[in-house]
Amino acid sequence: MSKKPTAGPALHKVIMVGSGGVGKSALTLQFMYDEFVEDYEPTKADSYRKKVVLDGEEVQIDILDTAGQEDYAAIRDNYFRSGEGFLCVFSITDDESFQATQEFREQILRVKNDESIPFLLVGNKCDLNGIRRVPLAECQQRAQQWQVPYVETSAKTRENVDKVFFDLMREIRSRKTEDSKATSGRAKDRCKKRRLKCTHL
Amino acid sequence: MGDLIKEFDNPNFSVERYTKQLVKECVGGPDLQKKKKEIQAYSDKTSATLKRSVYANYMQFIETAKEISNLESEMTQLSLLLHEQHNILASLTDGAAAKTGEDNDKEFHNEEEAENMHATRAVKEMVQGFNGNLEGKTFLCEGALTELDSNDYRPVQRVFFFLFNDVLIVCKVKHDKRLEFISEYDPKKIAVINIKDLNGVKNAINIITPDGSKIYQSITPAGKTEWIEQFEVAFRWDQQQKKPKKGPAPQPPKPNNSNNLTVDISPTDSQSAVVRKEENMAPDWIHSATDEIETFIAQRHFEDAESLIKRCKDFLQQSKTFVGVVEIEEKVMQLERQLADVLLQELSKCHARNLEVALRSTRRCLQILVNMGKARQASGTLLKVCSIGLRTAQKEARKNNAKISELFFCDLAQVACAFLLSFESQPACVSALVVWCNAELQYFASQLKKHYLTKGSHLESIAKCVEGVRKPCAKLTEIGLDLSYHLEGLLRADLEDLINESRLRLLETVGRTDDPWQPFNLHTKSNLKRLLLELEVLGIDMRPHTTGDTWINLTQSTLNFTRHYLQLTNHCAYLAKSEALSKSCQVLLRDLIIAQHSLKPDANLSVDPNFVAKNKQFLCEELLPIAISIFRRISGSNPDILRTIGIIRQQQAAPIPKKRSVYQTDVF
Ligand SMILES: Nc1nc2c(ncn2[C@@H]2O[C@H](COP(=O)(O)OP(=O)(O)OP(=O)(O)O)[C@@H](O)[C@H]2O)c(=O)[nH]1
Ligand SMILES: [Mg+2]
């Protein structure tokens, strides 16, 4: 899907993915409005937009908060296509949600057909470290396997909330400048090359 | 040529075959040339006939075409309106049905069937360019949305969606409110995103279809929620057997319950929302109404803006106790003023070359402004527009030597009719119309004086001009506009001056030519006959004065004067229809006949005094009474001044006969 070039600030499109109840909406709302929402209300698909200053440059972030619930799985493809970067969230108190990240990762790669799409693995609810179910080492290992950063956050205490969004935007931004350097003809090769590189590793 | 026509008219006529045949038949070049000429002649004749028949019915043709297209768009609008009405009714009965309970499931089912059928028919009838099959589908939702630009969120176009269980039909709402099919999608391939925050754009959803992602804006938050829900119903249609879930139609505002509030309220408020539940909350729709009104105004959907403002005002009148009432009320008032300003501005731009066109284009704005209770402002602006149209038309007509007076009063009548149509029930406006008419009349009169009633104009052209103004002016009384008195007042002083001026000029010409004071010999019978006829038409029978075959027993000067005098009497009498001018007209006629009467033969000339007396007698006893009766007949009033001449003459007439003093008397 191609967009007309905007005259205004650059727009970075972020998609929140992850199982239901892991805190995608909580993270989004904390980032957007500095608020923590205690109630759980399953999301269908909500989008938000906000102007932020990224390394001195004004940019816009577009956050698509998707549904974690299983019964929405079929519709995800449609949403994923528009994303330029993904925050793949699980709860460190819920092992099942951690296992599910595998599926999300695969679906994203399938839809985007790009192994190096900007992507962060996010372990949320780190304020609940006391009832942790997913060992830190396991999380780090998976991130390394995917060649993506791993960050632990808390939507409740706001720990690392800005960090995950800004880190992802930086990745998206650098991907865009890289893309604009490459001619359109080479763009496809690049994807293939990446693929190759990844399978080598 | 008849054969040719028959041949060409044949539906199986083939150019190629015909040409081949022709070439075969013709012997040599000249023969072909001849044939060519024949065909050429036929072609010319046909196109001439065509042209003629088009011209003959040209105006009718254009008018009819216009009417047809007007009717057409009105019909579609009507059907659209009816459809909307039906939906409102349907949603009302839905609400009623829901209240009565679930025991009437069957009825509910039937109703659903009916709704499906109706929606199917609506799509078929209203959507141009859609011919898909909707048989057996379940209708879920329909409504208008505004498509926004994905970059700057400005409205791109109005669209209309029909959502069925397995198809979404997207139409464009054209300016004439007709629907034009754009495309259809399978709801399973559609992703809907609830746009919660988009730089202040409210009630927006993002719909991702295989053709791309687009932002649409709903009029109300309830409408937006409804669409999101119904898209999901369509999406899951096959998974879950249909839940008979019929949401309310997007429009009718209902006080929202707190459950709905927490869904749509911005996250910042979600905690306090629970607390506020007990307070008297305004319905959601009124919160977003101001934004919608603004959008409507920007998109020039003035009617929608007006009706929404009205709805807000009605609502505010009923309940003034909810949170934020003051702000909303203020905002609505401000928007109302804004809408009125925009409409007035639109209205003021309506002037066109043609007054009728201008009037037609004002209708829409006028209607809304009147509905808004801004009749006074609207009428003022309308009249300004009309002034421009009227004056331009006058200028054009003057350039083309057309009848400006008729045009002026026709235009005036047209404006008055259009005006009364819109403002009949507003007495303040009607008096504004009267003031305006008088002002325009004044302007018209000044133009008339400047261009037609100029110094040195002949009495004849003055009379014609004035008559040409009076007649259409009097016609206006038919629509209740009596401007005659005002008009006469405006012209009176100038006309009086002109009449006086004419009088002096005419007096100078009396007796200019040397008169031999001999009977007038016309030399031939036919000459005499012609003169007699001419004078008879003017109203005088001269046969008693003929002698011999070619003579008239009066001087040529008397006869010339008679002819001229009767013509002048005519003109003067027409002018004297206005009583105010009667006096100067009569003075003119009086002075003229006195001047003629007092002509004396040259002292060196040997003249029969009886013949001189006879001429004078003719003037007094025949010409003057006839002039008086003509004057009375045309002007409709008694020419008292002219009649006193007769009295004086008769008093003095007794001693006069045969005395030389007759032609020495200056005053009868
Ligand atoms: N203690 C703690 N609770 C959290 C945190 N993040 C979210 N929650 C709670 O977890 C519940 C679910 O959070 P949501 O953000 O709604 O979950 P979600 O991922 O958006 O779920 P879906 O919309 O169904 O996909 C809520 O009750 C939150 O208050 C966190 O960092 N710490
Ligand atoms: Mg959520």
Side-chain angles (χ1 to χ4, degrees):
Chain A
M1 200 183 349
S2 65
K3 272 263 174 256
K4 277 182 264 170
T6 327
L11 178 66
H12 302 311
K13 294 181 157 192
V14 172
I15 299 188
M16 312 293 294
V17 300
S19 303
V22 297
K24 300 182 295 297
S25 301
L27 284 169
T28 305
L29 298 178
Q30 182 61 265
F31 177 72
M32 285 291 296
Y33 309 110
D34 300 301
E35 288 245 356
F36 176 63
V37 182
E38 200 79 50
D39 320 328
Y40 174 41
E41 183 165 347
T43 310
K44 289 173 192 164
D46 296 339
S47 81
Y48 301 84
R49 209 168 266 205
K50 187 183 190 178
K51 283 200 179 96
V52 292
V53 178
L54 175 66
D55 304 329
E57 176 201 9
E58 186 174 85
V59 299
Q60 272 200 94
I61 184 168
D62 183 286
I63 304 170
L64 175 57
D65 180 17
T66 62
Q69 311 263 308
E70 243 338 281
D71 49 351
Y72 287 87
I75 211 168
R76 280 187 205 129
D77 274 15
N78 292 332
Y79 300 124
F80 287 1
R81 256 176 234 120
S82 68
E84 296 169 332
F86 295 82
L87 291 181
C88 185
V89 188
F90 66 95
S91 165
I92 59 160
T93 65
D94 177 5
D95 187 57
E96 224 170 284
S97 75
F98 178 63
Q99 298 312 326
T101 56
Q102 189 77 48
E103 253 174 69
F104 282 105
R105 171 81 182 168
E106 275 162 23
Q107 193 174 3
I108 290 165
L109 293 189
R110 183 165 49 72
V111 171
K112 299 301 287 185
N113 194 23
D114 180 355
E115 303 259 311
S116 64
I117 183 87
F119 188 107
L120 259 69
L121 184 60
V122 178
N124 189 39
K125 304 200 188 179
C126 71
D127 57 295
L128 300 177
N129 207 15
I131 49 166
R132 187 179 190 112
R133 294 280 174 277
V134 190
L136 180 62
E138 219 173 294
C139 308
Q140 283 166 335
Q141 195 216 324
R142 179 162 290 181
Q144 201 174 23
Q145 183 198 333
W146 289 348
Q147 289 279 293
V148 300
Y150 174 66
V151 183
E152 295 209 335
T153 58
S154 165
K156 191 170 183 177
T157 66
R158 210 162 202 282
E159 191 178 335
N160 282 337
V161 170
D162 281 344
K163 179 182 164 58
V164 286
F165 284 100
F166 277 92
D167 282 357
L168 185 64
M169 275 194 282
R170 283 192 193 97
E171 280 209 38
I172 294 171
R173 187 184 54 190
S174 67
R175 269 299 294 276
K176 281 180 182 167
T177 42
E178 208 179 301
D179 280 7
S180 62
K181 273 180 211 152
T183 60
S184 56
R186 266 184 244 153
K188 272 180 198 154
D189 296 349
R190 184 209 60 212
C191 283
K192 278 185 198 152
K193 253 186 241 159
R194 286 226 172 84
R195 233 157 217 247
L196 282 174
K197 193 170 70 186
C198 288
T199 41
H200 277 303
L201 281 163
Chain B
M1 192 156 284
D3 304 345
L4 260 180
I5 297 172
K6 236 182 249 161
E7 193 152 4
F8 287 148
D9 283 347
N10 187 342
N12 298 323
F13 176 76
S14 142
V15 182
E16 220 164 294
R17 212 177 322 128
Y18 179 76
T19 320
K20 267 188 200 155
Q21 183 72 22
L22 215 60
V23 174
K24 246 189 252 168
E25 274 172 11
C26 293
V27 187
D31 212 10
L32 263 178
Q33 287 282 334
K34 202 181 126 216
K35 274 272 184 258
K36 188 189 149 197
K37 236 181 236 163
E38 266 175 40
I39 297 172
Q40 184 67 46
Y42 177 56
S43 147
D44 290 349
K45 199 183 118 197
T46 314
S47 73
T49 321
L50 180 68
K51 239 186 247 166
R52 219 172 315 122
S53 29
V54 169
Y55 282 149
N57 302 303
Y58 198 54
M59 290 321 286
Q60 224 169 340
F61 178 73
I62 292 176
E63 287 284 305
T64 316
K66 238 190 293 177
E67 271 317 300
I68 289 174
S69 86
N70 279 351
L71 274 178
E72 223 171 21
S73 76
E74 264 166 40
M75 289 313 289
T76 26
Q77 273 188 36
L78 209 62
S79 81
L80 207 63
L81 281 177
L82 280 174
H83 184 64
E84 271 167 25
Q85 294 287 334
H86 169 89
N87 283 333
I88 292 171
L89 285 176
S91 71
L92 284 177
T93 45
D94 267 8
K99 252 181 236 157
T100 49
E102 277 136 45
D103 45 12
N104 39 19
D105 235 14
K106 235 188 246 164
E107 201 176 292
F108 191 70
H109 199 73
N110 283 343
E111 223 170 83
E112 199 173 30
E113 290 280 275
E115 187 156 89
N116 286 342
M117 241 174 60
H118 191 87
T120 308
R121 187 155 5 111
V123 173
K124 262 197 198 128
E125 280 166 12
M126 296 196 303
V127 181
Q128 300 178 333
F130 178 78
N131 33 32
N133 183 15
L134 298 171
E135 222 56 51
K137 295 185 195 305
T138 305
F139 170 73
L140 295 175
C141 196
E142 64 158 14
L145 292 167
T146 307
E147 183 183 329
L148 304 182
D149 187 288
S150 55
N151 289 314
D152 52 21
Y153 324 126
R154 271 192 310 211
V156 176
Q157 61 178 354
R158 299 264 294 169
V159 295
F160 202 95
F161 284 1
F162 292 95
L163 181 64
F164 291 83
N165 65 312
D166 62 354
V167 66
L168 169 72
I169 299 167
V170 180
C171 313
K172 179 183 169 168
V173 182
K174 301 205 296 187
H175 284 303
D176 57 5
K177 300 226 162 140
R178 277 189 271 185
L179 302 179
E180 186 182 81
F181 175 70
I182 300 178
S183 58
E184 52 181 318
Y185 302 103
D186 179 357
K188 306 218 172 28
K189 300 207 170 100
I190 293 175
V192 179
I193 298 169
N194 180 359
I195 300 179
K196 293 243 170 158
D197 194 329
L198 185 67
N199 303 343
V201 179
K202 295 224 175 96
N203 307 335
I205 52 175
N206 188 349
I207 297 183
I208 306 173
T209 63
D211 290 344
S213 138
K214 280 191 173 139
I215 301 175
Y216 296 97
Q217 191 176 32
S218 162
I219 294 173
T220 58
K224 163 173 154 167
T225 317
E226 169 80 1
W227 275 114
I228 291 173
E229 276 172 16
Q230 294 302 331
F231 268 111
E232 204 183 326
V233 171
F235 181 76
R236 297 166 176 279
W237 191 260
D238 295 337
Q239 304 168 18
Q240 290 159 270
Q241 217 10 277
K242 52 175 177 175
K243 274 190 248 160
K245 184 179 194 292
K246 279 204 232 161
Q251 277 290 343
K254 293 174 192 162
N256 271 322
N257 50 28
S258 58
N259 190 13
N260 212 337
L261 265 177
T262 37
V263 176
D264 268 300
I265 209 148
S266 78
T268 336
D269 295 341
S270 57
Q271 279 162 315
S272 46
V274 188
V275 187
R276 276 203 275 172
K277 214 190 292 184
E278 299 309 319
E279 268 182 77
N280 194 355
M281 293 299 294
D284 274 358
W285 69 268
I286 204 161
H287 282 294
S288 56
T290 53
D291 281 349
E292 281 152 43
I293 294 167
E294 243 164 342
T295 317
F296 281 143
I297 294 174
Q299 295 174 328
R300 301 167 53 83
H301 296 305
F302 300 132
E303 290 87 351
D304 296 344
E306 191 251 323
S307 68
L308 192 51
I309 287 175
K310 182 153 186 311
R311 215 172 76 194
C312 290
K313 283 172 74 180
D314 287 350
F315 179 81
L316 288 167
Q317 205 144 51
Q318 281 165 18
S319 63
K320 284 200 178 234
T321 48
F322 59 81
V323 182
V325 64
V326 183
E327 289 86 358
I328 292 176
E329 200 165 16
E330 217 161 72
K331 182 83 187 161
V332 170
M333 297 299 249
Q334 184 223 321
L335 283 169
E336 191 180 20
R337 278 194 299 275
Q338 189 189 336
L339 177 62
D341 286 348
V342 170
L343 284 168
L344 284 172
Q345 216 168 34
E346 281 287 306
L347 193 63
S348 70
K349 281 190 237 141
C350 278
H351 46 75
R353 253 192 132 70
N354 182 320
L355 186 72
E356 202 181 325
V357 175
L359 283 175
R360 200 174 311 146
S361 59
T362 58
R363 244 172 250 167
R364 179 182 174 212
C365 289
L366 279 184
Q367 190 54 54
I368 306 171
L369 282 165
V370 170
N371 288 349
M372 291 174 70
K374 301 279 181 215
R376 264 176 85 124
Q377 290 94 320
S379 71
T381 310
L382 173 70
L383 292 175
K384 263 183 221 147
V385 170
C386 291
S387 286
I388 297 173
L390 214 87
R391 292 177 189 194
T392 324
Q394 286 285 302
K395 225 180 276 166
E396 288 288 307
R398 225 171 31 234
K399 263 193 238 156
N400 300 328
N401 265 329
K403 292 189 174 164
I404 57 150
S405 302
E406 265 168 35
L407 180 72
F408 173 77
F409 289 103
C410 267
D411 283 356
L412 216 56
Q414 211 170 22
V415 172
C417 287
F419 191 93
L420 293 175
L421 201 70
S422 297
F423 302 111
E424 184 124 50
S425 51
Q426 322 266 344
C429 295
V430 176
S431 63
L433 175 70
V434 174
V435 171
W436 177 82
C437 281
N438 283 335
E440 282 309 306
L441 194 70
Q442 202 160 351
Y443 180 79
F444 172 72
S446 75
Q447 293 296 303
L448 208 62
K449 287 182 216 163
K450 193 166 148 197
H451 297 282
Y452 297 92
L453 301 174
T454 46
K455 239 173 141 60
S457 301
H458 280 278
L459 216 51
E460 181 180 0
S461 53
I462 295 170
K464 271 191 184 152
C465 175
V466 171
E467 192 61 13
V469 178
R470 279 182 187 149
K471 254 193 207 153
C473 182
K475 274 221 145 223
L476 282 190
T477 50
E478 285 171 19
I479 60 161
L481 261 180
D482 191 357
L483 296 173
S484 297
Y485 182 75
H486 192 54
L487 177 75
E488 297 295 346
L490 286 168
L491 295 178
R492 178 186 163 168
D494 287 73
L495 288 174
E496 239 165 34
D497 285 351
L498 286 171
I499 293 166
N500 284 335
E501 188 204 342
S502 292
R503 181 172 53 91
L504 297 175
R505 208 173 47 230
L506 288 165
L507 281 173
E508 273 175 35
T509 61
V510 173
R512 273 272 177 76
T513 46
D514 288 335
D515 192 348
W517 292 94
Q518 296 294 332
F520 186 20
N521 185 2
L522 285 123
H523 303 293
T524 64
K525 271 189 188 173
S526 63
N527 276 352
L528 178 65
K529 208 172 154 193
R530 201 176 309 129
L531 182 69
L532 289 176
L533 196 71
E534 196 185 340
L535 289 166
E536 197 186 323
V537 168
L538 287 168
I540 193 164
D541 180 9
M542 296 298 278
R543 272 171 302 181
H545 296 282
T546 54
T547 51
D549 282 343
T550 61
W551 293 83
I552 292 183
N553 204 10
L554 287 167
T555 72
Q556 185 177 354
S557 157
T558 301
L559 281 161
N560 284 345
F561 179 81
T562 302
R563 186 196 304 122
H564 193 194
Y565 193 72
L566 289 175
Q567 285 167 347
L568 285 173
T569 307
N570 246 288
H571 305 324
C572 284
Y574 274 114
L575 285 171
K577 274 184 176 177
S578 148
E579 210 141 340
L581 295 174
S582 185
K583 186 178 166 231
S584 26
C585 287
Q586 289 186 55
V587 168
L588 181 146
L589 292 172
R590 181 195 68 189
D591 288 4
L592 216 56
I593 202 164
I594 289 174
Q596 180 72 19
H597 188 271
S598 53
L599 284 180
K600 286 173 265 189
D602 197 290
N604 311 325
L605 224 57
S606 70
V607 183
D608 174 8
N610 280 332
F611 184 62
V612 173
K614 183 178 162 42
N615 274 289
K616 290 181 190 276
Q617 198 180 353
F618 167 77
L619 291 179
C620 303
E621 290 173 8
E622 293 185 48
L623 181 57
L624 186 59
I626 286 173
I628 287 174
S629 82
I630 290 174
F631 193 96
R632 184 187 300 121
R633 177 167 49 79
I634 296 176
S635 72
S637 62
N638 263 328
D640 294 326
I641 300 174
L642 285 181
R643 276 167 53 194
T644 52
I645 310 172
I647 294 159
I648 294 165
R649 193 208 61 78
Q650 269 162 13
Q651 282 170 349
Q652 297 192 344
I656 281 171
K658 291 177 190 171
K659 282 193 178 165
R660 284 181 62 90
S661 60
V662 171
Y663 43 90
Q664 284 168 348
T665 319
D666 274 5
V667 180
F668 311 168

